[in-house]
């Protein structure tokens, strides 16, 4: 992003991405930098929870491993392997570009087209994707670790087999799961207010989701002086789910409002379009009508089918 020399910088970006320069020396230097970053993350309590709960949830899928790798795996990387990775994935047929802001579309497209016509690429071989048979049960139900932190922290995970929900539309599946857990545990939920009043929460719960082909891991992240008690409260809430139609309608209006406001920020808008293309293979231009059609009948049907029994906890405690 930047205010000046848009076309020159765009061409520089394209050439930069399509012209890798790797040497034994710069690879070794970068490995040292990444190693230091990994060690820094190991000391961070929130990163510890995020990595730990993924590792304890999944049994087969490589999502269970930290995306940055480990110090040991980083040391094994060399220039040859990086070029092999680049030549497998970084091909124009496996790339897309998203530009948001005030620019001349025709002029920009012509620049991209002329840039690509100067380059000669071999036809890309099909990328073979390995499939992993993931089980419903979590690998490890509970872990407690000590870290340098002032307040105990809880990561509560729910592993959900999304194939059993019977939804063929992946986007609808993800939206209903988002809605369900926002209404149950989000910042405006009764649960959040009650637990803050009881003193079981130091701040509102953060909700994250990690999806693979057959399962979704919903993660509730919280700072709490009472992680064991809060875990039991979450257990009870998952066993007694009630959603009011008015709450669903209010959340839908909030989602639509947030999407409209997104157009005031070209960087956030760019991120949203990129995520749409990665997740759904297209630009989402039906968001408002799509959200508007979500309803209590379908949500209740999901609640009836969903299995919320495969849970796990990752607790970070201060050193005594």
């Amino acid at each position: 992003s930047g205010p000046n020399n848009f076309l020159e910088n765009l061409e520089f970006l394209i050439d930069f991405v399509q012209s890798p320069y790797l040497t034994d020396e710069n690879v070794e230097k970068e490995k040292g930098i990444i190693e230091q970053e990994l060690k820094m993350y190991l000391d961070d309590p929130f990163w510890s929870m995020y990595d730990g709960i993924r590792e304890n949830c999944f049994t087969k899928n490589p999502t269970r491993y930290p995306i940055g790798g480990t110090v040991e795996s980083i040391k094994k990387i060399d220039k040859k392997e990086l070029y092999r990775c680049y030549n497998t994935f970084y091909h124009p047929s496996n790339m897309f570009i998203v530009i948001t802001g005030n620019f001349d579309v025709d002029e920009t497209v012509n620049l991209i087209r002329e840039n690509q016509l100067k380059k000669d690429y071999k036809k890309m071989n099909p990328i073979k994707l390995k499939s992993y048979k993931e089980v419903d049960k979590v690998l490890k139900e509970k872990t407690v670790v000590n870290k340098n932190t002032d307040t105990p922290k809880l990561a509560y995970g729910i592993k959900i087999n999304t194939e059993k929900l019977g939804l063929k539309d992946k986007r609808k599946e993800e939206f209903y799961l988002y809605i369900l857990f926002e209404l149950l545990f989000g910042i405006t939920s009764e649960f959040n207010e009650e637990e803050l009043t009881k003193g079981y929460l130091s701040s509102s719960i953060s909700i994250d989701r990690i999806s693979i082909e057959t399962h979704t891991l919903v993660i509730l992240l919280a700072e709490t002086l009472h992680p064991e008690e809060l875990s039991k409260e979450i257990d009870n809430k998952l066993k007694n789910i009630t959603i009011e139609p008015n709450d669903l309608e209010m959340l839908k209006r909030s989602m639509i409002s947030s999407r409209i406001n997104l157009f005031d920020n070209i960087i956030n808008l760019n991120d949203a379009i990129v995520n749409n293309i990665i997740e759904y293979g297209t630009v989402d231009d039906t968001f408002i009508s799509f959200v508007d059609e979500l309803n209590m009948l379908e949500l209740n049907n999901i609640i009836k089918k969903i299995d919320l029994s495969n849970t796990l906890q990752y607790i970070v405690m201060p050193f005594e």
Side-chain angles (χ1 to χ4, degrees), residues 27-93:
V27 169
E28 285 302 315
K29 181 180 178 181
E30 190 66 27
K31 284 161 65 174
I33 296 171
I34 295 173
E35 182 177 336
Q36 293 302 313
E37 289 179 350
L38 291 176
K39 289 178 178 177
M40 179 180 66
Y41 289 135
L42 289 175
D43 293 330
D44 186 287
F46 275 108
W47 275 101
S48 169
M49 286 199 304
Y50 196 70
D51 284 345
I53 200 162
R54 288 205 324 271
E55 185 177 355
N56 288 355
C57 174
F58 298 108
T59 59
K60 302 289 186 182
N61 196 285
T63 300
R64 69 188 303 267
Y65 300 114
I67 192 168
T70 63
V71 172
E72 292 74 21
S73 66
I74 294 298
K75 288 180 178 179
K76 296 177 182 178
I77 294 175
D78 56 25
K79 181 181 70 175
K80 182 180 178 181
E81 186 171 10
L82 288 176
Y83 269 119
R84 178 167 166 259
C85 176
Y86 179 89
N87 291 326
T88 301
F89 298 105
Y90 289 72
H91 189 280
S93 63

Side-chain angles (χ1 to χ4, degrees), residues 22 38 134 282 306:
L22 303 173
L38 291 176
E134 188 64 41
T282 185
I306 198 168

Side-chain angles (χ1 to χ4, degrees), residues 4 14 38 52 60 66 73 100 111 120 127 132 136-137 139 165 175 182 200 210 244 248 274 278 288 308 319-320:
N4 302 313
I14 296 170
L38 291 176
K60 302 289 186 182
S73 66
T100 49
L111 180 143
D120 183 28
I127 298 173
Y132 299 86
D136 291 350
K137 189 170 177 56
L139 185 64
L165 299 181
F175 272 61
E182 277 295 320
Y200 285 174
I210 298 172
E244 296 296 330
L248 172 60
V274 168
I278 291 173
I288 293 177
L308 300 173
F319 287 111
E320 295 181 358

Side-chain angles (χ1 to χ4, degrees), residues 70-294:
T70 63
V71 172
E72 292 74 21
S73 66
I74 294 298
K75 288 180 178 179
K76 296 177 182 178
I77 294 175
D78 56 25
K79 181 181 70 175
K80 182 180 178 181
E81 186 171 10
L82 288 176
Y83 269 119
R84 178 167 166 259
C85 176
Y86 179 89
N87 291 326
T88 301
F89 298 105
Y90 289 72
H91 189 280
S93 63
N94 200 38
M95 290 180 174
F96 62 89
I97 188 166
V98 176
I99 304 170
T100 49
N102 183 18
F103 62 96
D104 186 306
V105 175
D106 292 334
E107 188 178 42
T108 302
V109 170
N110 286 336
L111 180 143
I112 295 171
R113 182 180 290 113
E114 289 174 8
N115 178 283
Q116 294 301 278
L117 286 173
K118 297 174 187 175
K119 300 172 182 177
D120 183 28
Y121 292 96
K122 295 180 181 178
K123 186 176 180 180
M124 184 179 181
N125 293 323
I127 298 173
K128 297 178 181 178
L129 299 179
K130 186 175 181 179
S131 60
Y132 299 86
K133 183 66 176 177
E134 188 64 41
V135 299
D136 291 350
K137 189 170 177 56
V138 300
L139 185 64
K140 188 176 182 181
E141 293 182 358
K142 187 174 182 178
T143 294
V144 181
V145 298
N146 294 101
K147 291 284 181 180
N148 185 20
T149 181
D150 294 328
T151 308
K153 294 168 176 53
L154 167 69
Y156 186 106
I158 307 107
K159 186 178 184 181
I160 301 167
N161 185 326
T162 49
E163 288 187 323
K164 294 180 180 179
L165 299 181
L167 291 173
K168 295 181 180 179
D169 187 334
K170 191 71 176 176
R171 183 170 65 149
K172 184 173 284 191
E173 168 195 298
E174 292 179 356
F175 272 61
Y176 273 123
L177 286 180
Y178 166 80
I179 287 172
L180 176 60
F181 284 95
E182 277 295 320
L183 292 177
L184 290 177
F185 302 107
I187 193 170
T188 60
S189 67
E190 287 185 9
F191 181 89
N192 187 75
E193 186 176 338
E194 290 171 356
E195 300 310 309
L196 284 168
T197 302
K198 291 177 184 177
Y200 285 174
L201 278 175
S202 302
S203 58
S204 297
I205 292 175
S206 298
I207 306 172
D208 200 358
R209 288 172 296 128
I210 298 172
S211 295
I212 60 173
E213 292 83 357
T214 56
H215 292 76
T216 290
L217 168 62
V218 178
I219 308 173
L220 309 178
L221 296 165
E223 285 195 314
T224 171
L225 295 172
H226 310 279
E228 301 289 351
E229 291 83 351
L230 181 59
S231 291
K232 291 176 183 177
E233 296 280 299
I234 296 173
D235 287 340
N236 292 332
K237 187 66 177 178
L238 292 175
K239 293 173 183 175
N240 300 280
I241 295 177
T242 56
I243 302 293
E244 296 296 330
N246 286 343
D247 292 335
L248 172 60
E249 292 305 313
M250 286 180 61
L251 181 56
K252 284 167 57 177
R253 287 198 292 271
S254 174
M255 292 166 67
I256 291 172
S257 174
S258 296
R259 176 51 66 104
I260 293 172
N261 290 334
L262 190 66
F263 286 82
D264 286 335
N265 187 312
I266 62 172
I267 294 177
N268 291 344
L269 177 62
N270 196 292
D271 288 343
I273 295 172
V274 168
N275 289 334
N276 284 161
I277 295 172
I278 291 173
E279 298 216 11
Y280 312 121
T282 185
V283 177
D284 178 11
D285 58 357
T286 62
F287 182 92
I288 293 177
S289 59
F290 179 84
V291 170
D292 197 45
E293 291 172 2
L294 301 175

